[in-house]
Amino acid sequence: MNDDVAAKSIIVAAALLIIWMGKRCAFHSRSTDLIASSSKSESAPRTNATATEAPFDNLADVYDSSFCHTTVGRLLRHQTWKDLDEAFATSKFKSKPAAPILEIGCGTGDDALHLASQHVYVLATDYSQGMIRKARKKCSSNTTVPRGCQPTFKKLDLRYSHYDVSLEPIHKFAGAYCNFGGLNNLSPADIGHLANELSELIYPGGKVVLVVIGRFCLFETLYYLWKCNFKRAFRRLKRSQNAGIAARVAPDTKKQIVYFYSPGFMEETFTDTSQFRVIRKRAIGLTLPPSLWSSRSSSKKMHPSLLSFLSWVDSMLSGYWPFFSFGDHFLIEFERLKAVGQREKRYRD
């Protein structure tokens, strides 16, 4: 009897801890959202292009081996592919059936090639010439992509480019996406610029899927608390979203300025354009190790069956509050409204 009482007490305590962490994360999100939104009206600094291009150029040759081709990397990417397939591969765009999908931050091209295998044409962009070079090489050696569906890769710095000029001759897209933190090198001002650009580029009814590094990672926090490293446990929350922190985008790379965003900030920024509504939020990497750890020996030692089970747990919990804010990344999906000022509906739980 005492064992039953003790077990129930542990379950209740764990539930209360999760609720408390959710409220704490929500509080930080609201407070920093106010700071960030107030800065939009001011001349917030834009991201320096040279500072971010070089690290990703240096990362291009090892990006696949350090993330994409690892067990954790594959599981995390397959989580996002389910959403990309639902948003783009199975969608029918009545206004422009042949319109391409725009990818922002394509890296070495895995996502573009996956969608191409589903007969979806992608214009894949990245501001790293090294990544673009690697993606083109990978595409040229790929034999699974149907003829006529090969993605086009183009260097584009979305921080300083006006899309309708830079993307010529294409001026409209059936949708857009950015996977695995491609937006976390952008300042809040850059995110606002991007939202306004996409509101002009996406056909009504089109989807925008963004996978962003979040402000609270449950796995990371619990790990560093266990190690008694309190500074790293809450490093993502210690500053406002408007102030980036120096962090590595991959192991053994130089630190650069990274911004950690909350789902609330991204939702506010895009819905402020009056052109988008949120239709989905969920965590990516809730119980799986964070993406930056995918090449660590500790992650490699985890049995594939255990990692597959953790990925299954993610699929069960990641779409519910408060778990959608607890992953290493969060996925947020928008729909382009069919008319300016259309009344926004709340996302479905």
Side-chain angles (χ1 to χ4, degrees):
M1 185 69 178
N2 291 334
D3 291 341
D4 292 341
V5 173
K8 291 180 180 178
S9 299
I10 292 174
I11 292 173
V12 171
L16 291 174
L17 176 62
I18 288 174
I19 292 174
W20 175 80
M21 291 168 68
K23 289 184 177 180
R24 176 180 175 84
C25 187
F27 170 77
H28 279 278
S29 297
R30 285 195 299 269
S31 60
T32 52
D33 288 348
L34 290 174
I35 295 173
S37 60
S38 64
S39 70
K40 292 177 192 175
S41 59
E42 302 173 1
S43 55
R46 301 293 295 276
T47 311
N48 183 283
T50 306
T52 55
E53 184 177 345
F56 282 99
D57 282 345
N58 297 333
L59 178 61
D61 290 333
V62 298
Y63 183 68
D64 286 341
S65 60
S66 63
F67 174 61
C68 297
H69 295 167
T70 64
T71 303
V72 172
R74 289 192 186 99
L75 290 171
L76 290 172
R77 194 170 291 278
H78 280 136
Q79 288 186 7
T80 66
W81 280 356
K82 293 178 182 178
D83 294 276
L84 294 180
D85 288 349
E86 184 177 343
F88 306 126
T90 61
S91 297
K92 294 181 180 179
F93 299 93
K94 297 179 180 179
S95 58
K96 194 75 173 177
I101 303 297
L102 172 66
E103 179 176 11
I104 301 164
C106 66
T108 58
D110 280 10
D111 298 320
L113 289 171
H114 168 74
L115 285 176
S117 70
Q118 309 294 315
H119 298 269
V120 177
Y121 174 61
V122 178
L123 174 59
T125 68
D126 202 294
Y127 48 73
S128 166
Q129 189 62 53
M131 289 290 190
I132 291 293
R133 203 162 36 238
K134 190 75 173 180
R136 286 172 178 163
K137 183 178 180 181
K138 185 183 294 186
C139 181
S140 65
S141 62
N142 189 292
T143 58
T144 62
V145 176
R147 181 178 296 181
C149 294
Q150 289 87 351
T152 299
F153 296 98
K154 182 172 184 176
K155 182 179 178 181
L156 175 70
D157 192 336
L158 56 90
R159 294 158 296 184
Y160 298 105
S161 300
H162 193 36
Y163 269 29
D164 60 359
V165 174
S166 302
L167 297 176
E168 288 183 345
I170 302 172
H171 295 283
K172 283 287 187 179
F173 296 85
Y177 68 93
C178 179
N179 209 355
F180 287 112
L183 301 184
N184 288 92
N185 292 108
L186 304 184
S187 70
D190 294 319
I191 298 292
H193 171 71
L194 173 66
N196 287 318
E197 291 288 334
L198 290 180
S199 69
E200 299 294 329
L201 288 170
I202 306 301
Y203 280 106
K207 305 296 195 305
V208 175
V209 181
L210 308 175
V211 179
V212 185
I213 303 175
R215 286 182 56 75
F216 179 80
C217 175
L218 180 62
F219 188 107
E220 181 181 87
T221 299
L222 293 178
Y223 174 82
Y224 284 118
L225 287 177
W226 178 56
K227 293 286 188 179
C228 296
N229 190 337
F230 300 102
K231 181 178 180 180
R232 290 192 66 83
F234 297 103
R235 68 190 180 101
R236 302 190 188 195
L237 286 170
K238 67 180 181 180
R239 294 187 183 183
S240 73
Q241 292 172 116
N242 205 35
I245 67 172
R248 290 181 175 86
V249 297
D252 303 322
T253 59
K254 292 183 179 180
K255 291 184 177 180
Q256 61 176 294
I257 299 301
V258 175
Y259 298 84
F260 295 113
Y261 293 115
S262 69
F265 171 81
M266 300 302 294
E267 178 176 359
E268 179 186 358
T269 302
F270 274 77
T271 56
D272 275 355
T273 65
S274 300
Q275 301 279 2
F276 295 101
R277 70 180 183 98
V278 177
I279 59 177
R280 179 180 298 147
K281 298 177 189 176
R282 73 181 189 90
I284 300 296
L286 178 63
T287 60
L288 282 170
S291 56
L292 190 59
W293 296 14
S294 58
S295 61
R296 289 188 178 185
S297 59
S298 56
S299 295
K300 291 180 178 179
K301 290 178 181 178
M302 297 179 73
H303 196 279
S305 297
L306 173 58
L307 293 173
S308 296
F309 172 74
L310 294 177
S311 182
W312 176 81
V313 173
D314 281 8
S315 67
M316 294 293 103
L317 299 178
S318 62
Y320 296 96
W321 183 92
F323 299 110
F324 61 68
S325 297
F326 285 4
D328 179 44
H329 293 69
F330 64 86
L331 181 147
I332 185 166
E333 182 176 340
F334 299 93
E335 181 181 27
R336 171 70 161 79
L337 297 179
K338 296 181 179 180
V340 177
Q342 179 179 334
R343 189 174 182 178
E344 179 184 352
K345 297 179 181 179
R346 300 183 69 87
Y347 72 95
R348 61 177 181 270
D349 292 331

